[in-house]
């Protein structure tokens, strides 16, 4: 009777290990995606958050003669970031 219990215990441990590894893999993928999304969304909130924001600032200044201030960009960027978080 002891060998069959031991075999069942090994099978249960193997099944638990597979479940654990699958859960860790899912968690790792989710963590990497959430970091990437948060970096993309958060970078738009401030004027110096990403390079394209600086290009936009220079284009705006060339077109309209005045660059947006840091606070005026923050007003736009923060509301955009909150909207993107809601969509996410």
């Amino acid at each position: 009777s002891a060998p069959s219990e031991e075999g069942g215990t090994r099978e249960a441990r193997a099944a638990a290990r597979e479940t654990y590894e699958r859960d860790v893999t899912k968690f790792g993928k989710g963590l990497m995606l959430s970091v990437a999304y948060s970096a993309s969304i958060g970078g738009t909130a401030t004027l110096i958050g990403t390079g394209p924001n600086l290009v936009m600032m220079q284009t705006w200044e060339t077109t309209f003669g005045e660059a947006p201030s840091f606070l005026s960009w923050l007003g736009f960027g923060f509301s955009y970031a909150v909207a993107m978080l809601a969509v996410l």
Side-chain angles (χ1 to χ4, degrees), residues 16-34:
R17 186 177 306 118
E18 287 178 22
T19 301
Y20 174 76
E21 289 173 0
R22 187 174 53 244
D23 290 346
V24 167
T25 301
K26 284 182 181 180
F27 178 75
K29 288 178 183 178
L31 186 62
M32 286 187 279
L33 284 172
S34 65

